[in-house]
Amino acid sequence: MSNPTPQELLALAAQSARRAYAPYSHFRVGAAVLAEGEIFLGVNVENDAYSLALCAERAALAAAIVAGKRQISAIAIACIDAPPDSDLRGRMPCGACRQWLSELAPQAKIYLLGSEQEFSADQLLPWAFRWKR
Ligand code: THU
């Protein structure tokens, strides 16, 4: 699937969310990154030391980087445990993930399960921190 539609990418993100390790929050998140025609998946991985939780977005972005694919064109995020009628805020990337998206996926289209809206990293984190770039 080298040129998936937003819906296809969201479906992959939702499918991967089923593999989330979220025994503490019970809030499963999946992410699917499209980079140079390949798809990389991520899930949230929690820890008994709560603050060490890894978000799905960062897991998927890291997977693309590990594979050497840095041209990230899209990311789909699926919070499968968010009630479908809940506020969009409950399905948005957290601040740390926005900083990662800003650096690693500045051109990417960002899709959220349950929303028709499409976002960009700059929209989600204007004035992102930059040190040397
Ligand atoms: N979570 C994500 O995976 N991505 C986000 O952008 C927001 C939060 C996860 C972290 C934690 O495992 C759970 O959702 C509840 O905060």
Side-chain angles (χ1 to χ4, degrees), residues 14-57:
Q15 227 177 300
S16 68
R18 298 166 69 89
R19 296 198 292 266
Y21 178 73
Y24 305 103
S25 72
H26 302 288
F27 191 79
R28 296 168 295 169
V29 187
V33 159
L34 177 65
E36 303 178 35
E38 284 185 40
I39 291 166
F40 301 91
L41 303 174
V43 298
N44 54 330
V45 182
E46 298 185 344
N47 190 273
D48 207 349
Y50 291 0
S51 67
L52 298 181
L54 172 65
C55 292
E57 296 92 320

Side-chain angles (χ1 to χ4, degrees), residues 1-132:
M1 205 188 284
S2 63
N3 195 17
T5 63
Q7 285 68 30
E8 286 170 332
L9 210 56
L10 281 164
L12 289 170
Q15 227 177 300
S16 68
R18 298 166 69 89
R19 296 198 292 266
Y21 178 73
Y24 305 103
S25 72
H26 302 288
F27 191 79
R28 296 168 295 169
V29 187
V33 159
L34 177 65
E36 303 178 35
E38 284 185 40
I39 291 166
F40 301 91
L41 303 174
V43 298
N44 54 330
V45 182
E46 298 185 344
N47 190 273
D48 207 349
Y50 291 0
S51 67
L52 298 181
L54 172 65
C55 292
E57 296 92 320
R58 280 178 283 152
L61 289 166
I65 296 297
V66 169
K69 307 293 184 190
R70 294 189 175 186
Q71 302 307 314
I72 294 171
S73 47
I75 177 168
I77 302 159
C79 295
I80 60 172
D81 294 317
D85 58 346
S86 64
D87 193 296
L88 187 55
R89 272 173 218 274
R91 281 171 278 144
M92 293 294 269
C94 77
C97 289
R98 292 177 196 211
Q99 183 72 38
W100 269 53
L101 288 163
S102 169
E103 175 144 351
L104 297 172
Q107 312 297 338
K109 293 180 173 178
I110 302 171
Y111 308 117
L112 306 174
L113 186 67
S115 171
E116 297 293 305
Q117 252 174 293
E118 167 187 314
F119 297 91
S120 70
D122 193 49
Q123 237 181 325
L124 296 185
L125 188 62
W127 292 96
F129 172 75
R130 285 282 179 279
W131 180 35
K132 284 197 169 165

